[in-house]
Amino acid sequence: MDKTLIVTNDFPPRPGGIQAFLHSMALRLDPSRVVVYASTWKRGREGAEATAAFDAEQPFTVVRDRTTMLLPTARVTRRAVGLLREHGCRAVWFGAAAPLGLMAPALRRAGAERLVATTHGHEAGWAQLPAARQLLRRIGEGTDTLTYLGEYTRSRIAGALTPQAAARMVQLPPGVDEKTFHPGSGGAAVRARLGLTDRPVIVCVSRLVRRKGQDTLIEAMPRVLRAVPDAVLLIVGGGPYRADLEKLAASRGLTDSVRFTGPVEWEELPAHFGAGDVFAMPCRTRRGGLDVEGLGIVYLEASATGLPVVAGDSGGAPDAVLDGETGWVVPGGRPAETADRLVELLRDPALRERMGARGRGWVEEQWRWDLLAGKLRELLAPAG
Ligand code: GDD
């Protein structure tokens, strides 16, 4: 493999699915052949220190731009070109195609031989807006390959591209580390710490934003509790919607049966999945399709942990579930349908066991990082 410059606004320590995807992929490339050019996480000393501490632990070079939002400006393009030349990179991987993929022609003129740009949920949203569609089209023309997560994102994005660029698209979903996420990952200790040892637990792990549907889960709880009175909803993660969610739970008198852990450290994440009997995140599409789920790594992390999942039908989320086999897909934003599936699973240990085992097997067969990283390495290899 030749050297690759990874250009991305989304990189840890900033949390999120795109960030986790890129970092996991970068760790599986040869570290001596990777240079990451990324934004700084947050403004101020705290952000700079956390970013520096994270970077110091990486096995590859990370170069941070001073900005917290990396955009394809003339200055950023000059810096990317400079890094390409300075490090002798022959391949470029744009972690998210839009908008940084607009720099592709400049990097090609500077000597890049392979340009790969990965698409997520937001590019599928862009594909619906006339001006943004034009930009996506340009990104498709300037790069060798646009990757997509699953059929939902492919079909939306392909429609905005030239037929040639659409034909060059390749599927590259994120994977799951099946050694990190596995049954028996420490859930009993988390339950004991939270005083939930003997209670049926529905767990949701995600950033707290409206699209993810933690509000639907809270609205579903009264119906769940009528059938399973000691059930608990464990909401793991942090985000801007937290105060509203807490108010919603309090207003429904659910302070005992809805618990919030706040954000958890990476090392603690598998145990928090393991604390659940069922995983649920009934995500919904918002803003006329602009705010949409690209895939939903959390469903796969839950499956790897051996949990059945209840997923919403937003965008590509159904691609991360075998409906009726690893869990259920429900209409996003519908508490009654969500509650009925949760009750069905909470009342039937054999069904949970069967769906959890099928999910674990599916991750082992199809979502392993080593398989997916191999695909990325091939895409980044210059021809000849
Ligand atoms: N450490 C930690 N702590 N990790 C967390 C926490 C937390 O409190 N909450 C969520 N995460 C992790 C999840 O475990 C998962 O690995 C990631 O953050 C979230 O990933 P997604 O479920 O995929 O959601 P996203 O909205 O941030 O990601 C977007 O891009 C993904 C990759 O293309 C969406 O479009 C997804 O649908 C898409 O899969």
Side-chain angles (χ1 to χ4, degrees):
M1 185 188 140
D2 283 282
K3 266 194 164 177
T4 296
L5 179 65
I6 300 178
V7 181
T8 179
N9 180 55
D10 308 294
F11 209 65
R14 189 177 290 154
I18 302 179
Q19 293 79 353
F21 178 1
L22 295 191
H23 185 231
S24 301
M25 280 289 193
L27 286 176
R28 286 164 177 84
L29 302 175
D30 176 348
S32 65
R33 295 176 179 277
V34 169
V35 178
V36 178
Y37 175 36
S39 55
T40 294
W41 177 28
K42 283 197 228 172
R43 280 182 213 292
R45 215 173 95 196
E46 190 204 339
E49 281 176 5
T51 305
F54 173 84
D55 293 353
E57 286 175 7
Q58 303 313 306
F60 42 74
T61 305
V62 184
V63 179
R64 295 285 176 173
D65 196 272
R66 61 173 188 259
T67 179
T68 52
M69 173 70 84
L70 202 64
L71 293 169
T73 59
R75 180 186 71 77
V76 167
T77 306
R78 274 197 304 278
R79 183 101 191 267
V81 162
L83 289 170
L84 184 92
R85 292 196 171 126
E86 180 188 334
H87 293 274
C89 299
R90 292 173 72 197
V92 176
W93 181 30
F94 296 104
L100 289 169
L102 288 167
M103 299 195 290
L107 286 160
R108 199 183 294 281
R109 282 194 299 277
E113 291 171 39
R114 289 290 299 168
L115 292 140
V116 176
T118 286
T119 64
H120 305 271
H122 68 271
E123 283 89 356
W126 275 44
Q128 296 189 65
L129 300 171
R133 266 176 94 80
Q134 286 308 316
L135 295 179
L136 265 184
R137 195 176 175 88
R138 273 172 54 197
I139 294 168
E141 281 176 297
T143 52
D144 296 297
T145 306
L146 283 189
T147 75
Y148 61 92
L149 299 172
E151 189 42 33
Y152 171 82
T153 47
R154 192 204 63 76
S155 59
R156 295 297 157 113
I157 293 164
L161 306 178
T162 60
Q164 295 80 1
R168 294 196 300 268
M169 290 179 84
V170 170
Q171 188 177 13
L172 185 71
V176 176
D177 187 341
E178 79 286 358
K179 294 190 187 68
T180 302
F181 295 94
H182 57 84
S185 57
V190 172
R191 284 168 91 121
R193 201 163 70 221
L194 298 172
L196 303 178
T197 298
D198 298 320
R199 296 179 65 176
V201 177
I202 302 156
V203 67
C204 177
V205 180
S206 178
R207 294 179 297 116
L208 305 184
V209 293
R210 286 174 195 267
R211 184 182 87 220
K212 302 289 183 179
Q214 291 96 347
D215 47 6
T216 307
L217 286 174
I218 294 172
E219 301 278 17
M221 278 312 279
R223 192 171 168 115
V224 171
L225 291 169
R226 280 197 289 278
V228 187
D230 52 347
V232 175
L233 169 61
L234 183 62
I235 297 183
V236 179
Y241 200 27
R242 176 162 179 176
D244 291 306
L245 292 170
E246 283 180 333
K247 260 189 235 148
L248 179 64
S251 74
R252 301 290 190 272
L254 295 169
T255 38
D256 173 61
S257 41
V258 178
R259 306 283 181 88
F260 294 85
T261 66
V264 300
E265 297 293 328
W266 284 109
E267 302 73 47
E268 281 282 300
L269 201 56
H272 281 77
F273 277 96
D277 294 294
V278 174
F279 180 86
M281 194 182 86
C283 54
R284 63 178 178 275
T285 299
R286 299 178 60 247
R287 297 193 186 133
L290 289 181
D291 189 11
V292 63
E293 206 61 45
L295 181 76
I297 304 170
V298 287
Y299 301 122
L300 299 166
E301 292 170 341
S303 286
T305 311
L307 265 55
V309 303
V310 175
D313 61 356
S314 172
D319 291 339
V321 185
L322 295 174
D323 197 19
E325 292 182 51
T326 65
W328 304 111
V329 178
V330 295
R334 301 266 275 276
E337 281 93 331
T338 306
D340 291 348
R341 287 304 192 190
L342 290 171
V343 168
E344 189 180 351
L345 286 163
L346 289 175
R347 280 181 162 166
D348 189 342
L351 179 63
R352 292 202 301 273
E353 178 82 29
R354 199 164 62 241
M355 288 186 153
R358 178 73 179 106
R360 172 77 197 170
W362 191 44
V363 169
E364 285 173 354
E365 283 155 30
Q366 291 198 21
W367 298 93
R368 287 199 341 255
W369 273 117
D370 51 345
L371 302 176
L372 300 161
K375 206 163 174 180
L376 177 64
R377 278 195 291 271
E378 278 170 30
L379 290 175
L380 291 171

PDB file of all heavy atoms in Angstrom, residues 8 24 29 34 49 61-62 75 80 89 140 157 160 167 170 181 222 249 264 271 276 278 289 329 340 356 370-371 374:
ATOM      1  N   THR A   8     -10.364  14.750   6.720  1.00  0.00           N
ATOM      2  CA  THR A   8     -11.663  14.587   7.384  1.00  0.00           C
ATOM      3  C   THR A   8     -11.951  15.675   8.414  1.00  0.00           C
ATOM      4  O   THR A   8     -11.053  16.081   9.163  1.00  0.00           O
ATOM      5  CB  THR A   8     -11.744  13.212   8.084  1.00  0.00           C
ATOM      6  OG1 THR A   8     -13.012  13.100   8.733  1.00  0.00           O
ATOM      7  CG2 THR A   8     -10.637  12.988   9.096  1.00  0.00           C
ATOM      8  N   SER A  24     -11.523   3.526  13.178  1.00  0.00           N
ATOM      9  CA  SER A  24     -11.368   2.065  13.138  1.00  0.00           C
ATOM     10  C   SER A  24     -10.716   1.634  11.832  1.00  0.00           C
ATOM     11  O   SER A  24      -9.890   0.714  11.815  1.00  0.00           O
ATOM     12  CB  SER A  24     -12.728   1.385  13.276  1.00  0.00           C
ATOM     13  OG  SER A  24     -13.325   1.764  14.466  1.00  0.00           O
ATOM     14  N   LEU A  29      -5.086   0.170   8.674  1.00  0.00           N
ATOM     15  CA  LEU A  29      -4.159   0.380   7.557  1.00  0.00           C
ATOM     16  C   LEU A  29      -2.743   0.360   8.148  1.00  0.00           C
ATOM     17  O   LEU A  29      -2.569   0.450   9.359  1.00  0.00           O
ATOM     18  CB  LEU A  29      -4.443   1.721   6.873  1.00  0.00           C
ATOM     19  CG  LEU A  29      -5.875   1.899   6.319  1.00  0.00           C
ATOM     20  CD1 LEU A  29      -6.068   3.314   5.771  1.00  0.00           C
ATOM     21  CD2 LEU A  29      -6.195   0.873   5.243  1.00  0.00           C
ATOM     22  N   VAL A  34       0.014   6.135   6.741  1.00  0.00           N
ATOM     23  CA  VAL A  34      -1.213   6.925   6.919  1.00  0.00           C
ATOM     24  C   VAL A  34      -0.871   8.283   7.517  1.00  0.00           C
ATOM     25  O   VAL A  34      -0.130   8.373   8.492  1.00  0.00           O
ATOM     26  CB  VAL A  34      -2.202   6.186   7.860  1.00  0.00           C
ATOM     27  CG1 VAL A  34      -3.358   7.092   8.267  1.00  0.00           C
ATOM     28  CG2 VAL A  34      -2.738   4.926   7.188  1.00  0.00           C
ATOM     29  N   GLU A  49      -6.349  20.356  24.342  1.00  0.00           N
ATOM     30  CA  GLU A  49      -5.614  19.367  25.148  1.00  0.00           C
ATOM     31  C   GLU A  49      -6.126  17.947  24.894  1.00  0.00           C
ATOM     32  O   GLU A  49      -5.347  17.009  24.747  1.00  0.00           O
ATOM     33  CB  GLU A  49      -5.730  19.709  26.640  1.00  0.00           C
ATOM     34  CG  GLU A  49      -4.775  20.836  27.027  1.00  0.00           C
ATOM     35  CD  GLU A  49      -4.935  21.277  28.483  1.00  0.00           C
ATOM     36  OE1 GLU A  49      -5.720  20.652  29.229  1.00  0.00           O
ATOM     37  OE2 GLU A  49      -4.262  22.255  28.839  1.00  0.00           O
ATOM     38  N   THR A  61       0.480   9.364  11.868  1.00  0.00           N
ATOM     39  CA  THR A  61       0.610  10.815  12.010  1.00  0.00           C
ATOM     40  C   THR A  61      -0.754  11.485  11.897  1.00  0.00           C
ATOM     41  O   THR A  61      -1.513  11.191  10.973  1.00  0.00           O
ATOM     42  CB  THR A  61       1.523  11.360  10.877  1.00  0.00           C
ATOM     43  OG1 THR A  61       2.750  10.643  10.942  1.00  0.00           O
ATOM     44  CG2 THR A  61       1.762  12.851  11.001  1.00  0.00           C
ATOM     45  N   VAL A  62      -1.050  12.383  12.834  1.00  0.00           N
ATOM     46  CA  VAL A  62      -2.278  13.181  12.737  1.00  0.00           C
ATOM     47  C   VAL A  62      -1.881  14.650  12.707  1.00  0.00           C
ATOM     48  O   VAL A  62      -1.162  15.118  13.594  1.00  0.00           O
ATOM     49  CB  VAL A  62      -3.229  12.952  13.934  1.00  0.00           C
ATOM     50  CG1 VAL A  62      -4.540  13.722  13.728  1.00  0.00           C
ATOM     51  CG2 VAL A  62      -3.516  11.470  14.145  1.00  0.00           C
ATOM     52  N   ARG A  75      -7.532  28.019   1.644  1.00  0.00           N
ATOM     53  CA  ARG A  75      -6.456  27.767   2.615  1.00  0.00           C
ATOM     54  C   ARG A  75      -6.336  26.279   2.952  1.00  0.00           C
ATOM     55  O   ARG A  75      -5.244  25.707   2.946  1.00  0.00           O
ATOM     56  CB  ARG A  75      -6.723  28.572   3.904  1.00  0.00           C
ATOM     57  CG  ARG A  75      -5.647  28.349   4.960  1.00  0.00           C
ATOM     58  CD  ARG A  75      -5.988  29.016   6.287  1.00  0.00           C
ATOM     59  NE  ARG A  75      -7.074  28.373   7.000  1.00  0.00           N
ATOM     60  CZ  ARG A  75      -6.981  27.234   7.689  1.00  0.00           C
ATOM     61  NH1 ARG A  75      -5.821  26.597   7.759  1.00  0.00           N
ATOM     62  NH2 ARG A  75      -8.025  26.722   8.309  1.00  0.00           N
ATOM     63  N   ALA A  80      -3.819  20.847   2.407  1.00  0.00           N
ATOM     64  CA  ALA A  80      -3.937  19.425   2.040  1.00  0.00           C
ATOM     65  C   ALA A  80      -2.935  19.086   0.936  1.00  0.00           C
ATOM     66  O   ALA A  80      -2.260  18.047   0.988  1.00  0.00           O
ATOM     67  CB  ALA A  80      -5.372  19.120   1.599  1.00  0.00           C
ATOM     68  N   CYS A  89       2.260  11.236  -0.390  1.00  0.00           N
ATOM     69  CA  CYS A  89       1.058  10.380  -0.468  1.00  0.00           C
ATOM     70  C   CYS A  89       0.615  10.240  -1.914  1.00  0.00           C
ATOM     71  O   CYS A  89       0.617  11.217  -2.674  1.00  0.00           O
ATOM     72  CB  CYS A  89      -0.082  10.986   0.341  1.00  0.00           C
ATOM     73  SG  CYS A  89       0.302  11.142   2.089  1.00  0.00           S
ATOM     74  N   GLY A 140     -18.383  13.468  -7.298  1.00  0.00           N
ATOM     75  CA  GLY A 140     -18.357  12.171  -7.986  1.00  0.00           C
ATOM     76  C   GLY A 140     -17.432  12.187  -9.191  1.00  0.00           C
ATOM     77  O   GLY A 140     -16.709  11.222  -9.458  1.00  0.00           O
ATOM     78  N   ILE A 157     -27.845   8.634  -3.529  1.00  0.00           N
ATOM     79  CA  ILE A 157     -26.682   9.400  -3.995  1.00  0.00           C
ATOM     80  C   ILE A 157     -26.437   9.166  -5.485  1.00  0.00           C
ATOM     81  O   ILE A 157     -26.145  10.104  -6.228  1.00  0.00           O
ATOM     82  CB  ILE A 157     -25.452   9.046  -3.134  1.00  0.00           C
ATOM     83  CG1 ILE A 157     -25.693   9.546  -1.716  1.00  0.00           C
ATOM     84  CG2 ILE A 157     -24.173   9.644  -3.717  1.00  0.00           C
ATOM     85  CD1 ILE A 157     -24.789   8.966  -0.664  1.00  0.00           C
ATOM     86  N   ALA A 160     -27.819  11.526  -8.038  1.00  0.00           N
ATOM     87  CA  ALA A 160     -27.269  12.881  -8.194  1.00  0.00           C
ATOM     88  C   ALA A 160     -25.988  12.875  -9.035  1.00  0.00           C
ATOM     89  O   ALA A 160     -25.466  13.919  -9.388  1.00  0.00           O
ATOM     90  CB  ALA A 160     -26.959  13.459  -6.809  1.00  0.00           C
ATOM     91  N   ALA A 167     -21.629   4.383 -11.585  1.00  0.00           N
ATOM     92  CA  ALA A 167     -21.167   3.011 -11.856  1.00  0.00           C
ATOM     93  C   ALA A 167     -19.881   2.689 -11.090  1.00  0.00           C
ATOM     94  O   ALA A 167     -19.571   1.525 -10.863  1.00  0.00           O
ATOM     95  CB  ALA A 167     -20.929   2.837 -13.359  1.00  0.00           C
ATOM     96  N   VAL A 170     -18.823   1.950  -4.793  1.00  0.00           N
ATOM     97  CA  VAL A 170     -18.509   0.659  -4.159  1.00  0.00           C
ATOM     98  C   VAL A 170     -19.040   0.685  -2.721  1.00  0.00           C
ATOM     99  O   VAL A 170     -18.920   1.709  -2.043  1.00  0.00           O
ATOM    100  CB  VAL A 170     -16.967   0.439  -4.144  1.00  0.00           C
ATOM    101  CG1 VAL A 170     -16.590  -0.762  -3.288  1.00  0.00           C
ATOM    102  CG2 VAL A 170     -16.433   0.278  -5.560  1.00  0.00           C
ATOM    103  N   PHE A 181     -17.054  -6.148  21.187  1.00  0.00           N
ATOM    104  CA  PHE A 181     -18.487  -6.293  21.483  1.00  0.00           C
ATOM    105  C   PHE A 181     -18.840  -7.768  21.405  1.00  0.00           C
ATOM    106  O   PHE A 181     -18.796  -8.369  20.321  1.00  0.00           O
ATOM    107  CB  PHE A 181     -19.320  -5.490  20.471  1.00  0.00           C
ATOM    108  CG  PHE A 181     -19.085  -4.005  20.569  1.00  0.00           C
ATOM    109  CD1 PHE A 181     -18.142  -3.387  19.762  1.00  0.00           C
ATOM    110  CD2 PHE A 181     -19.786  -3.234  21.486  1.00  0.00           C
ATOM    111  CE1 PHE A 181     -17.903  -2.024  19.861  1.00  0.00           C
ATOM    112  CE2 PHE A 181     -19.556  -1.869  21.594  1.00  0.00           C
ATOM    113  CZ  PHE A 181     -18.614  -1.267  20.782  1.00  0.00           C
ATOM    114  N   PRO A 222     -44.898   3.825  29.166  1.00  0.00           N
ATOM    115  CA  PRO A 222     -46.127   3.495  29.909  1.00  0.00           C
ATOM    116  C   PRO A 222     -46.795   2.224  29.377  1.00  0.00           C
ATOM    117  O   PRO A 222     -47.245   1.379  30.155  1.00  0.00           O
ATOM    118  CB  PRO A 222     -47.008   4.737  29.696  1.00  0.00           C
ATOM    119  CG  PRO A 222     -46.016   5.855  29.510  1.00  0.00           C
ATOM    120  CD  PRO A 222     -44.870   5.237  28.734  1.00  0.00           C
ATOM    121  N   ALA A 249     -39.399  12.465  30.483  1.00  0.00           N
ATOM    122  CA  ALA A 249     -39.526  11.312  31.384  1.00  0.00           C
ATOM    123  C   ALA A 249     -40.172  11.741  32.705  1.00  0.00           C
ATOM    124  O   ALA A 249     -41.078  11.060  33.212  1.00  0.00           O
ATOM    125  CB  ALA A 249     -38.152  10.687  31.631  1.00  0.00           C
ATOM    126  N   VAL A 264     -20.475   7.741  27.990  1.00  0.00           N
ATOM    127  CA  VAL A 264     -19.563   6.813  28.675  1.00  0.00           C
ATOM    128  C   VAL A 264     -18.267   6.690  27.872  1.00  0.00           C
ATOM    129  O   VAL A 264     -18.249   6.921  26.664  1.00  0.00           O
ATOM    130  CB  VAL A 264     -20.200   5.408  28.875  1.00  0.00           C
ATOM    131  CG1 VAL A 264     -21.471   5.508  29.716  1.00  0.00           C
ATOM    132  CG2 VAL A 264     -20.499   4.729  27.553  1.00  0.00           C
ATOM    133  N   ALA A 271     -19.803  -2.933  27.911  1.00  0.00           N
ATOM    134  CA  ALA A 271     -20.526  -3.341  29.120  1.00  0.00           C
ATOM    135  C   ALA A 271     -21.897  -2.676  29.177  1.00  0.00           C
ATOM    136  O   ALA A 271     -22.862  -3.263  29.689  1.00  0.00           O
ATOM    137  CB  ALA A 271     -19.710  -2.981  30.352  1.00  0.00           C
ATOM    138  N   GLY A 276     -28.171  -4.527  28.728  1.00  0.00           N
ATOM    139  CA  GLY A 276     -29.556  -4.622  28.250  1.00  0.00           C
ATOM    140  C   GLY A 276     -29.997  -6.053  27.981  1.00  0.00           C
ATOM    141  O   GLY A 276     -29.180  -6.931  27.716  1.00  0.00           O
ATOM    142  N   VAL A 278     -32.618  -6.105  25.768  1.00  0.00           N
ATOM    143  CA  VAL A 278     -33.052  -5.749  24.418  1.00  0.00           C
ATOM    144  C   VAL A 278     -32.399  -4.414  24.085  1.00  0.00           C
ATOM    145  O   VAL A 278     -32.277  -3.561  24.960  1.00  0.00           O
ATOM    146  CB  VAL A 278     -34.594  -5.555  24.378  1.00  0.00           C
ATOM    147  CG1 VAL A 278     -35.058  -5.040  23.036  1.00  0.00           C
ATOM    148  CG2 VAL A 278     -35.312  -6.833  24.751  1.00  0.00           C
ATOM    149  N   GLY A 289     -36.303  14.667   5.152  1.00  0.00           N
ATOM    150  CA  GLY A 289     -35.326  13.727   4.577  1.00  0.00           C
ATOM    151  C   GLY A 289     -33.893  14.189   4.701  1.00  0.00           C
ATOM    152  O   GLY A 289     -32.966  13.457   4.355  1.00  0.00           O
ATOM    153  N   VAL A 329     -37.788  -4.094  12.704  1.00  0.00           N
ATOM    154  CA  VAL A 329     -37.786  -2.705  12.246  1.00  0.00           C
ATOM    155  C   VAL A 329     -39.192  -2.165  12.489  1.00  0.00           C
ATOM    156  O   VAL A 329     -40.177  -2.797  12.087  1.00  0.00           O
ATOM    157  CB  VAL A 329     -37.430  -2.607  10.744  1.00  0.00           C
ATOM    158  CG1 VAL A 329     -37.488  -1.151  10.284  1.00  0.00           C
ATOM    159  CG2 VAL A 329     -36.045  -3.192  10.494  1.00  0.00           C
ATOM    160  N   ASP A 340     -44.993  -2.466  21.515  1.00  0.00           N
ATOM    161  CA  ASP A 340     -45.467  -3.845  21.308  1.00  0.00           C
ATOM    162  C   ASP A 340     -44.310  -4.784  20.992  1.00  0.00           C
ATOM    163  O   ASP A 340     -44.269  -5.913  21.475  1.00  0.00           O
ATOM    164  CB  ASP A 340     -46.524  -3.879  20.198  1.00  0.00           C
ATOM    165  CG  ASP A 340     -47.815  -3.196  20.662  1.00  0.00           C
ATOM    166  OD1 ASP A 340     -47.934  -2.939  21.880  1.00  0.00           O
ATOM    167  OD2 ASP A 340     -48.684  -2.906  19.817  1.00  0.00           O
ATOM    168  N   GLY A 356     -30.649 -12.777  19.273  1.00  0.00           N
ATOM    169  CA  GLY A 356     -29.316 -12.327  19.677  1.00  0.00           C
ATOM    170  C   GLY A 356     -28.233 -13.195  19.048  1.00  0.00           C
ATOM    171  O   GLY A 356     -27.226 -12.697  18.542  1.00  0.00           O
ATOM    172  N   ASP A 370     -11.860  -6.616   9.617  1.00  0.00           N
ATOM    173  CA  ASP A 370     -10.754  -7.037   8.756  1.00  0.00           C
ATOM    174  C   ASP A 370     -11.229  -7.195   7.307  1.00  0.00           C
ATOM    175  O   ASP A 370     -10.531  -6.831   6.367  1.00  0.00           O
ATOM    176  CB  ASP A 370     -10.081  -8.305   9.293  1.00  0.00           C
ATOM    177  CG  ASP A 370     -11.062  -9.416   9.601  1.00  0.00           C
ATOM    178  OD1 ASP A 370     -12.267  -9.123   9.680  1.00  0.00           O
ATOM    179  OD2 ASP A 370     -10.634 -10.571   9.744  1.00  0.00           O
ATOM    180  N   LEU A 371     -12.472  -7.684   7.115  1.00  0.00           N
ATOM    181  CA  LEU A 371     -12.992  -7.831   5.747  1.00  0.00           C
ATOM    182  C   LEU A 371     -13.143  -6.457   5.091  1.00  0.00           C
ATOM    183  O   LEU A 371     -12.779  -6.251   3.934  1.00  0.00           O
ATOM    184  CB  LEU A 371     -14.378  -8.495   5.769  1.00  0.00           C
ATOM    185  CG  LEU A 371     -14.488  -9.867   6.429  1.00  0.00           C
ATOM    186  CD1 LEU A 371     -15.930 -10.330   6.457  1.00  0.00           C
ATOM    187  CD2 LEU A 371     -13.636 -10.867   5.630  1.00  0.00           C
ATOM    188  N   GLY A 374      -9.873  -4.523   4.316  1.00  0.00           N
ATOM    189  CA  GLY A 374      -9.225  -5.084   3.129  1.00  0.00           C
ATOM    190  C   GLY A 374      -9.786  -4.444   1.862  1.00  0.00           C
ATOM    191  O   GLY A 374      -9.054  -4.126   0.919  1.00  0.00           O
TER     192      GLY A 374
END
